[in-house]
Every structure is written in structure tokens, then in C-alpha cells.
Amino acid sequence: MGMRWFRIRPVDVLFFRRPGPFSAGNVFRAETVLPTGLPFVGAFRAEAARVLGINPEALAWGHEMLGGPEDLGRLSFAGPFFEKDEEVLYPRPRILLAEGGAQTGLPERVFLNFPRALFPGIRTNLPPGFGMWRDPERKTVREIDREFVREGFLRKILERGSGEPEEGDLLSNDEVFSLEERVGIRLAPGRRTVEEGFFYEVRMLRLKPGVSFVLGVSGLPEGFPERGVLKLGGEGRLAFYEEREAPELFLSPPRPEEFEGETRLLVVLLTPGVFREGVRPAIFDEEWRFCVGGVRGGVVGVVTGKPLAVAGFDLARRRPRPMVRAVVAGAVFALKLEKPLEREEARELLRELWARPLEEGKVAGYPYGRAGFGLVVCGKPFREALI
Amino acid sequence: MRGCQNLLVLAHCLSSFHPGTGVSVSYVDLPIQREASTGWPMMQGSGFKGALRHVALGQWKKEEVWAVFGPDPQAASESAGAVRFTDLRVALFPVKSLRKIFAWTTSPGLMARMVRELRAFGFKWIPPLPPEPTDGEALLSPKNQISEGQVLVLEEFAFRVQEEKSVNEIGRWFAKLLFPHETYFREHLSRNLVVVSDTVLSTLLELSMEVVTRIRINPETGTVAEGALWNEEHLPAETVLYGFVLAEEARGKQALRVEEVVEKIKGLAGVVQMGGDATIGKGLLNLVFMEQS
């Protein structure tokens, strides 16, 4: 069965616990973080179990359709992403730079940067073949402080390497969500006063009006409803789900003609990536060379932030999951091809590197790729950024 | 959601209600809880659950409380609770009126959110949605008793009256649930509900809250103890809050079917006390539960 897409809207707030132990003296509140796919995987599996009339606890022993503690059965996921006013938002590619804008009097223009050859005589500890990420020689270039890109605009800049954003094309965190501090106490049953030591702070996630999550799920059982209520994340919070159209980015890749003749490509992570070799996905060998769809080349640059700790709780076996470190969403791998792409090669390359997980298989015993991690798209860098 | 049942809960404030958020450095020392994105007042689901659990402890056996609400912390891993609570949000807000003392107000945004949630939780009996008035307008039932000709005065604001039949239907929907046996309030809500714009309601929810200044007297001198002056924010009496309870079967030592869990929760309907300042009469709420069907 094809992938079904759902809009997931919290009833009020959500709580996704920051991974890691509670450290007395260091951590004064239970903090929420932006969710990865894991809480959504759990929520949809539990809901699917209910549709099938299975007690969710039975998943501890594995189920052909829904999987078990270390596999997902026939299920696979894409996302989650944010959606605002029914348009999907994706993480900003971390090599997106801007020029112009309000203070310059010129229209703002953004472009996808690309590494340049090292200065002669410079030595680095980068892998052989890696270049340097430098500003193009423009005085008004700056980094972008908005974290999300609207789907239509992302597609445009991936296909062209640049674009002029309109209002709403680039959004900051506070246009999408806020973190709400809540204080809790526990009343002593007999005394009706606060029980000593039972004062706590929790930081919850509240989505802005008009904002929801979007998630793709395939392999759901027959009869899985189009709408309903999910138990999502911690603290017993609830969210509504309803089926929606697939995001445009996932309906079709760009036309191969757009990439014909290119020798440089950018691979952008849409969701955090959990790879066996840390920051290096398995499609790149130890020397950062690749052969994908018959196309050969090498990585000449990577931009990623600090690793994201991904953990969770194995409800079936009632124990924490091993913590893994993910490459953050928005990370970019810059590729240099051995020769210009032919149209058919471009078609094959896009089949492998558009809206698909970059690495399948299990890492630390869990199929993160099928759980929505490591989804990528590819694009072209801005021509004038190149030497 | 198969294997679950949902309940709507309406909490009608019989006295002022203080769902506090602790001490603030703003102009109100002890403010009430508010949603971060809208600034609208609320009671956190965790607080509502805790207060209701306390009520249940006075009426049920301990095993039943643990089965429905979850065990005490020292036995937390034994089983999860069988009920989940959303936050309580404002549905109707009372405002001083030139005629008939006060009027319950609501807004299209507030109603739209409530209706969306009623539908999503599977409720069939749902109030209609009102049209959107401008900031200078107030929508009233044609049978209302609170306007002065074409003008309605709430607090110090005057609104142009627009008559709208759906307002009467919305009022009757709430009145049927809240006041099945109270003719005066049932009529007042049915006929005199006011729908204002979202902007106006947000202003009222900010500025028309009850802010009470309190002191502590030094028993030896009979004068105010030094530093013992503070102010508190309360939801005024007659405020109506709404939320939802999602009930599942209770597992663990005391197993209960979902229908039994629903009946236990419904048995907690009536007047309860929640929130702060309980010993000075605050937080008396009349809880009404309605099943999906």
C-alpha cells in the first residue's frame, strides 16, 4: 500500500522528553525537545494495534504487520515535518546564505553555497578532496537566522540554486512553536498542602495557531481510520490526526532535465540522520567517494551542526533505548561528480536521492531509516558561488 | 478511537478560581495559568487531573484510584492510568453588563477551536459556529434582554448590536448542559449570550480578570505585617471552562472495562474545589461530564 500522509495537531501542548539522564543539580526541569520520528512511530503503532484489536503490549513479542521492539514490520515512516497554514515546512539547508534585504535597500536573495578549493599552501585536517566553505566574494552576504523553509520555496531553490524569498517563505522558530513552562506540585492527600520535594517544572511544546505536524506512514492495516486521536509523547498528551494529501516534495522529484550537465550537487537532510559511521552515511565509502545509480564522484564538503542525541523508551521491554547521535536536519553534503550528468543518470540519481532515507538497515539494532530518519533531497548550488 | 471513550467536561466556576502559576515579577504577584500562544486563561491538565484524583480519593477505594488515575509515584511502573486529561480552556467568560448584571461572552475563534475538538473527539451533538463580528460589534440573540436598543454596554465598552439566531442556539447548547434544573441561569445563558470578536475577547480575558489585593495582619499590632501585601489574579465566578477526558480500560491489579472507567469519572460530577485559596472559598467548580453519544 502506498504512503498515507497525516496532519497531526496537538489538542493543547506536547511533551517530548529531552534524551539523557536526569542529573541532580544540573537539570531543574523536565525539558521538551523538538520531536524526532520515534514518538510518532510509537503513537501510530499503538493506534494501528487498536485498529487490529491487538493489545499494544503484545508488540513486545513482535507482529508481522506492526513489528516488534527492534523492527517495524511492514511499516515505514517519513517525517515528521511542520506544516503551517497547510503548507509543509522543512529545515533550512545549513549552507543557505542571503544577500540584500531590508537594510540594504535591495531585495533579499538567498543561494545555496558550495565549497571552494583550498587556498594554495593551506593544510587542514579535512578528508582528502574536501574544499573550504567560504563566503562568495560579496560584501552583503550573511547567514540566515530563520530555521524553516516553506515547501514551494525550498523546491525552487533546490532546482535553481537561488531564489528571492517572499513573506512566509522563510520562518523563524517563534513563528512555528513556543516552549511553555509549567509548574507542578503534588498535594499531600491528608494535609492538602504541598508535599515536600514535589515541586517541579516542565517545559512543554506548543505549536502556534495554524501549525501542525505532518507525517507519512506506509504499511498501515486496512481500515486504519482517516482521522482520530493519538496519544503522543509524554505526560499523557493527546493529538488529533487526519489524513491529508502527500506533500508536493514527495509526489515527484524534479525533472532530470534540471540536473542534466551538472557536475556539482548538494544532498540535504530533511530529517535527522542516524548513520552507522556517525556523520558519514553508508553510501559514501571511507574516502568519501560514492557510486550512486552508476554516477561516480566524491564528497567535497559537509556542513552539519552539533550531533543530536536521539533516545527514547522501549515501552515493550520497559527500558530506555540506547542513545545514538544523529546528524541534524538541514545538514548538507556537497558532491563533485566525475563527469557531467546525462539525463538518464540524473533520473537514476534522483530516484536514489530524492525523498528517500539516505541509509536503510539498522543502527544500534533499530531501523532508523524506516522510522523516518535520514530523508534527503538534492539540489544544485548557486552558479556564481563556484570557481 | 476504538477501545476508548471520550468525555467532554465543563467546569462552571461557582466562586472565583485561581489556577495559579506561581510567583511572577509582573504587576500581578500571583497570576493564573495562560496559554503561551494566545494568552487565554486555562488550567493545566496535570493540575485538573491531580485535583480530581484528590476528589476521587475521598470517594473510591485506593485500588480504584490507582487503576483509573495511575499508581502513586513509588509504584509508578506498575501500570499507567486509564484516563488522560486535556487542559481546561475558557469557553464562556462573564463580563459586567449595563443590564442584567453580567453577560457570558465568547468569540468565533474560541468556539471554532472547541467545535473542532468536539468533532475530532467524535461528539455528534455540537453547537453551531457564529459568524465573525467586527471589533465594534456584538452578536446577540434576537430574544436578548441585555441590549439598550442597538447598543450593548459591557464593562466600559459599547458595541453595536447585530442580531444572530445561531447565538441563541449556542447559548441553549451550553445552558442545557450546565443548568438543567436552574431556570433563571438557563434562560439568561440561552437568551443573553454575547459573541464578540477574538480581539475584544482577548482584551477582556486580559483586563477583566479579577485581581484581588490581599494583606496579612500582624496579630500583635493589628496593622499590616511588613511586606505582607500582594495581589492575586482569579478567574471570576460564572466563568465556564471546557476540556476533554479520554478513558481507556484500566489494567493492572484492579482491571476495569472502559465503560466502568467512564462511569467512575462521571460519578465525580458535581461541586468540587480546585486551585488555590481553597480555605477562603475560592475554586468551587461545578463539573459536568458529557459522553460522546
Side-chain angles (χ1 to χ4, degrees):
Chain A
M1 184 186 269
M3 187 159 271
R4 294 173 66 180
W5 288 86
F6 296 91
R7 172 178 298 119
I8 298 152
R9 182 184 288 123
V11 176
D12 37 55
V13 292
L14 294 172
F15 180 71
F16 303 105
R17 193 173 86 73
R18 182 183 62 84
F22 289 111
S23 306
N26 282 342
V27 179
F28 295 99
R29 61 168 70 92
E31 291 193 73
T32 201
V33 294
L34 286 186
T36 62
L38 292 180
F40 294 85
V41 168
F44 269 85
R45 288 176 76 202
E47 178 73 349
R50 239 179 300 280
V51 168
L52 291 172
I54 303 168
N55 185 338
E57 290 179 8
L59 296 181
W61 291 279
H63 185 271
E64 183 211 355
M65 202 179 276
L66 305 182
E70 289 174 351
D71 76 276
L72 295 174
R74 296 187 205 159
L75 298 172
S76 63
F77 296 81
F81 306 106
F82 285 111
E83 172 198 70
K84 186 175 169 89
D85 300 327
E86 302 191 0
E87 187 152 11
V88 183
L89 307 176
Y90 297 99
R92 167 181 58 84
R94 286 177 173 253
I95 43 83
L96 196 65
L97 298 178
E99 61 175 350
Q103 291 173 350
T104 64
L106 298 168
E108 187 181 33
R109 192 152 158 255
V110 300
F111 54 92
L112 293 170
N113 204 2
F114 197 82
R116 296 193 185 184
L118 296 177
F119 289 122
I122 292 268
R123 290 185 188 180
T124 73
N125 60 348
L126 293 170
F130 271 51
M132 267 174 67
W133 293 93
R134 290 166 46 198
D135 286 350
E137 286 162 3
R138 297 166 190 273
K139 292 178 184 169
T140 55
V141 162
R142 64 181 189 281
E143 291 193 0
I144 295 174
D145 57 2
R146 286 151 285 172
E147 287 80 14
F148 296 100
V149 185
R150 198 177 56 81
E151 181 172 55
F153 187 64
L154 177 67
R155 188 155 191 143
K156 192 189 294 185
I157 55 176
L158 289 173
E159 287 176 356
R160 299 180 198 169
S162 66
E164 290 186 7
E166 295 175 358
E167 187 163 339
D169 281 342
L170 295 168
L171 292 97
S172 55
N173 281 344
D174 58 16
E175 294 176 85
V176 178
F177 64 87
S178 57
L179 295 175
E180 191 170 296
E181 315 264 344
R182 294 191 169 193
V183 168
I185 57 171
R186 181 172 176 230
L187 291 180
R191 303 192 308 268
R192 290 211 70 198
T193 55
V194 178
E195 187 133 13
E196 193 165 327
F198 280 88
F199 175 89
Y200 61 92
E201 274 187 74
V202 181
R203 182 182 279 168
M204 303 285 208
L205 175 72
R206 185 180 287 277
L207 301 188
K208 294 287 178 160
V211 176
S212 310
F213 290 105
V214 169
L215 184 80
V217 191
S218 67
L220 286 170
E222 285 273 341
F224 190 93
E226 290 179 355
R227 59 183 70 240
V229 180
L230 284 179
K231 293 176 286 186
L232 181 59
E235 295 285 302
R237 313 313 300 193
L238 300 171
F240 303 122
Y241 68 89
E242 61 177 355
E243 196 156 358
R244 78 184 294 285
E245 297 287 318
E248 204 193 309
L249 218 68
F250 285 80
L251 278 176
S252 58
R255 296 178 311 136
E257 296 89 316
E258 299 283 343
F259 289 83
E260 198 175 349
E262 292 293 329
T263 56
R264 292 170 168 85
L265 280 182
L266 298 165
V267 175
V268 181
L269 276 175
L270 296 182
T271 57
V274 177
F275 309 127
R276 275 186 293 277
E277 299 300 327
V279 74
R280 177 171 61 82
I283 63 162
F284 306 129
D285 65 21
E286 285 175 4
E287 291 168 6
W288 291 90
R289 308 282 310 167
F290 63 88
C291 177
V292 175
V295 177
R296 294 181 183 277
V299 177
V300 294
V302 179
V303 174
T304 178
K306 286 185 184 176
L308 177 72
V310 175
F313 200 82
D314 184 343
L315 278 173
R317 293 183 284 200
R318 298 184 195 275
R319 67 187 193 204
R321 290 194 180 282
M323 191 184 300
V324 293
R325 302 208 299 177
V327 178
V328 293
V332 179
F333 300 87
L335 313 185
K336 180 109 181 280
L337 310 181
E338 285 182 358
K339 61 179 180 64
L341 273 178
E342 294 176 14
R343 191 175 298 189
E344 276 312 303
E345 289 176 328
R347 195 187 309 278
E348 279 304 309
L349 202 68
L350 289 169
R351 207 194 308 272
E352 294 291 323
L353 296 177
W354 186 269
R356 289 198 53 191
L358 197 52
E359 187 169 310
E360 306 218 31
K362 291 186 180 180
V363 179
Y366 190 80
Y368 286 95
R370 291 182 56 206
F373 287 79
L375 287 173
V376 292
V377 288
C378 49
K380 298 186 290 196
F382 180 44
R383 289 236 166 259
E384 290 174 29
L386 314 177
I387 292 177
Chain B
M1 194 179 185
R2 190 164 143 181
C4 301
Q5 283 190 34
N6 303 319
L7 293 164
L8 168 72
V9 54
L10 293 179
H12 174 218
C13 299
L14 301 180
S15 67
S16 309
F17 177 36
H18 178 77
T21 190
V23 178
S24 158
V25 296
S26 179
Y27 51 85
V28 176
D29 298 310
L30 297 173
I32 57 172
Q33 296 161 18
R34 290 177 179 270
E35 296 175 1
S37 56
T38 59
W40 290 349
M42 62 155 182
M43 181 183 196
Q44 294 167 11
S46 56
F48 180 56
K49 178 186 175 185
L52 208 60
R53 180 193 178 102
H54 183 83
V55 172
L57 273 171
Q59 297 180 19
W60 306 350
K61 291 186 257 184
K62 189 182 92 166
E63 294 77 25
E64 292 172 328
V65 175
W66 281 30
V68 173
F69 287 91
D72 283 348
Q74 64 271 20
S77 60
E78 278 185 22
S79 66
V83 286
R84 291 172 183 247
F85 294 84
T86 69
D87 297 336
L88 294 183
R89 276 77 57 80
V90 171
L92 303 175
F93 187 67
V95 179
K96 287 196 291 288
S97 164
L98 188 63
R99 298 184 74 193
K100 294 291 275 186
I101 308 172
F102 78 94
W104 278 288
T105 59
T106 187
S107 77
L110 204 152
M111 286 302 306
R113 183 166 72 171
M114 184 176 167
V115 164
R116 178 183 71 199
E117 291 166 9
L118 282 166
R119 285 206 181 105
F121 276 116
F123 287 83
K124 301 286 184 279
W125 186 49
I126 294 176
L129 284 175
E132 288 194 42
T134 62
D135 290 347
E137 290 174 340
L139 304 183
L140 286 160
S141 161
K143 303 178 196 172
N144 82 85
Q145 301 159 311
I146 55 171
S147 58
E148 286 280 347
Q150 289 305 302
V151 176
L152 172 71
V153 180
L154 296 177
E155 296 276 353
E156 65 268 32
F157 306 111
F159 300 92
R160 286 187 311 279
V161 170
Q162 297 288 338
E163 289 183 353
E164 170 59 43
K165 280 188 192 164
S166 62
V167 178
N168 179 239
E169 290 170 42
I170 297 168
R172 281 194 287 122
W173 187 90
F174 278 104
K176 202 164 173 180
L177 288 169
L178 290 166
F179 309 120
H181 307 298
E182 295 178 73
T183 312
Y184 176 82
F185 287 107
R186 194 168 64 237
E187 282 300 301
H188 185 35
L189 179 50
S190 301
R191 297 177 73 161
N192 299 321
L193 176 67
V194 179
V195 176
V196 293
S197 71
D198 294 327
T199 308
V200 167
L201 186 68
S202 292
T203 306
L204 293 171
L205 289 172
E206 179 74 34
L207 299 177
S208 296
M209 278 302 162
E210 203 172 288
V211 177
V212 173
T213 304
R214 294 182 59 193
I215 57 168
R216 180 167 48 81
I217 298 287
N218 183 329
E220 290 174 10
T221 63
T223 57
V224 178
E226 193 160 332
L229 172 89
W230 70 95
N231 49 35
E232 302 174 351
E233 189 178 33
H234 296 265
L235 278 164
E238 306 299 340
T239 302
V240 176
L241 303 157
Y242 81 96
F244 296 92
V245 183
L246 188 142
E248 300 174 293
E249 61 174 1
R251 295 182 271 251
K253 288 178 184 165
Q254 172 88 48
L256 294 169
R257 295 191 323 272
V258 63
E259 295 80 12
E260 292 173 309
V261 173
V262 167
E263 287 307 307
K264 298 293 294 183
I265 292 292
K266 282 168 63 179
L268 298 174
V271 180
V272 299
Q273 194 158 36
M274 296 190 172
D277 294 337
T279 55
I280 55 171
K282 307 299 182 189
L284 291 170
L285 307 181
N286 184 33
L287 298 183
V288 172
F289 293 97
M290 180 177 84
E291 290 186 60
Q292 278 167 264
S293 52

